[in-house]
Amino acid sequence: MNQLCEIFGIKYPIFQGGMGNISNANLTAAVSEAGGLGTIGAGTMTPEELEQIILQTKRKTEKPFAVNIAITVSPYVDEIIHLIIKHKVPVVSLSAGDPTPYVKVFHDSNIKVVTVVGSVRHAEKAEAAGVDAIVAEGYEAAGINSNYESTTLTLIPQIVDKVNIPVVAAGGIGDGRGLAAVMMLGASGAQIGTRLIATQEAPFSEKYKEKLLSATDTETVIVGRKVNRVRRVLKTPYAKKLLELENSNDFSLDKFSELTSEKYHKIGAIEGNFEEGFINGGQISGMINDVPTVKELLDRMVKEMYEAIGTANDLLNNK
């Protein structure tokens, strides 16, 4: 059995990426029901908001799911930790900060711990802290990314060579070919986000899904480099305004942080207002051409993975 599936009690080695304040029970439960590990991104949600989503998710699925805590982003880290333990959430995903102080707390409550990293050094520190698995994210991914801007293709093998725990690849994976590719690089599975937006269970604006369906290979843009807050978003009027501001003299980290807060994320993703809010999108956006159910997507990805591995084997054997 795949090591990742065995550790986390899932059918397919596919994790859902945390989606911040647009996270919801419908999509999280659908991913878990389809055999992956659904994830609720706590973002900057209040404990009360997050608790409702946790309870809704537990009503929709009895299968494992995770809650992601962006440690340096959430103002409610201690309260969220309490909620996760209280409701016996099986897995916690830690990002945007040092997981070390929290690992034992979760392990003492039999909760598996995953941490998101963007470099070999951070992966080694996470392993030393005792986490159960690492999500290594290349900067092809949607949303907030590491300032190192390492690509998935280069990051995964370097991390796999340095740690002894399962590595989950994230960034630039949108179908079974991508899943096969990262497995060949040594990853035990993949984390996907953008591809899950364009699914039937995802309760986001239809305009968001239509934007992904019509996307080309050059549809995303990086904002925030000047203040070391790398974020990949889809090209929209709001993204254009962010870039214009970034290239002006009237630009600061505080202003950028405000304009890319979860308030404006929800305006874009939930309301479909691309003039006043942004939408995250990874570089796989141009690969999306349908809106399947989550189960159809995950089943298809695994089937494509085996086909891709078989094709590679045939090529190597000159068949």
Side-chain angles (χ1 to χ4, degrees):
M1 179 184 245
N2 177 286
Q3 189 180 14
L4 204 66
C5 295
E6 186 174 2
I7 291 172
F8 294 97
I10 54 181
K11 179 181 179 183
Y12 294 144
I14 301 173
F15 287 10
Q16 174 189 359
M19 295 180 175
N21 289 39
I22 67 168
S23 287
N24 57 84
N26 281 354
L27 185 55
T28 301
V31 173
S32 292
E33 282 292 299
L37 183 72
T39 302
I40 303 166
T44 57
M45 291 182 196
T46 66
E48 293 76 19
E49 290 172 317
L50 179 61
E51 185 168 34
Q52 287 306 306
I53 297 176
I54 290 172
L55 292 172
Q56 289 167 12
T57 303
K58 293 185 77 171
R59 285 194 289 268
K60 291 175 179 291
T61 185
E62 295 182 356
K63 295 183 178 179
F65 66 94
V67 170
N68 169 257
I69 308 174
I71 296 167
T72 58
V73 174
S74 172
Y76 308 106
V77 172
D78 290 341
E79 293 91 335
I80 290 172
I81 290 171
H82 173 74
L83 278 179
I84 291 169
I85 294 171
K86 173 185 173 183
H87 292 294
K88 299 179 180 179
V89 176
V91 183
V92 65
S93 164
L94 301 174
S95 59
D98 182 4
T100 305
Y102 309 104
V103 176
K104 186 177 186 302
V105 174
F106 288 116
H107 279 172
D108 285 347
S109 295
N110 295 315
I111 295 169
K112 302 294 184 185
V113 182
V114 179
T115 192
V116 183
V117 304
S119 73
V120 170
R121 182 172 65 88
H122 289 144
E124 290 175 324
K125 288 181 68 176
E127 182 180 36
V131 305
D132 298 283
I134 289 166
V135 173
E137 186 172 68
Y139 101 124
E140 299 97 321
I144 299 171
N145 280 308
S146 167
N147 292 329
Y148 297 124
E149 299 192 19
S150 296
T151 66
T152 303
L153 184 66
T154 58
L155 183 64
I156 298 305
Q158 292 183 77
I159 287 181
V160 167
D161 285 348
K162 294 294 184 179
V163 301
N164 296 302
I165 56 177
V167 175
V168 181
I173 304 153
D175 63 10
R177 294 172 298 178
L179 180 57
V182 297
M183 299 284 264
M184 293 302 98
L185 293 173
S188 296
Q191 178 170 287
I192 60 175
T194 302
R195 188 58 188 89
L196 288 167
I197 299 294
T199 57
Q200 293 180 25
E201 293 90 341
F204 307 123
S205 166
E206 287 303 312
K207 290 184 178 179
Y208 193 173
K209 297 181 184 183
E210 290 167 6
K211 180 72 171 173
L212 289 170
L213 289 172
S214 64
T216 67
D217 59 327
T218 58
E219 201 69 26
T220 70
V221 65
I222 293 288
V223 295
R225 276 198 180 102
K226 284 191 175 180
V227 287
N228 292 321
R229 291 292 187 274
V230 174
R231 179 188 283 271
R232 187 176 295 281
V233 298
L234 286 165
K235 292 178 179 177
T236 60
Y238 192 82
K240 183 179 179 182
K241 291 176 189 175
L242 289 174
L243 283 172
E244 288 172 350
L245 177 63
E246 190 168 352
N247 290 321
S248 73
N249 292 324
D250 186 26
F251 186 68
S252 67
L253 174 57
D254 287 344
K255 181 166 286 190
F256 178 76
S257 297
E258 164 58 23
L259 293 175
T260 55
S261 69
E262 289 299 319
K263 170 185 172 181
Y264 296 100
H265 187 192
K266 292 174 76 172
I267 289 172
I270 306 298
E271 298 178 18
N273 183 343
F274 302 156
E275 295 282 345
E276 298 180 32
F278 66 91
I279 44 175
N280 291 326
Q283 286 189 314
I284 64 103
S285 296
M287 297 166 56
I288 297 173
N289 53 33
D290 65 352
V291 184
T293 66
V294 172
K295 184 179 187 307
E296 288 169 344
L297 175 64
L298 267 58
D299 286 348
R300 184 170 72 195
M301 284 184 68
V302 172
K303 181 174 181 289
E304 289 172 344
M305 177 194 72
Y306 284 116
E307 289 173 349
I309 293 170
T311 298
N313 185 59
D314 289 345
L315 288 170
L316 289 170
N317 289 289
N318 297 314
K319 290 183 181 179

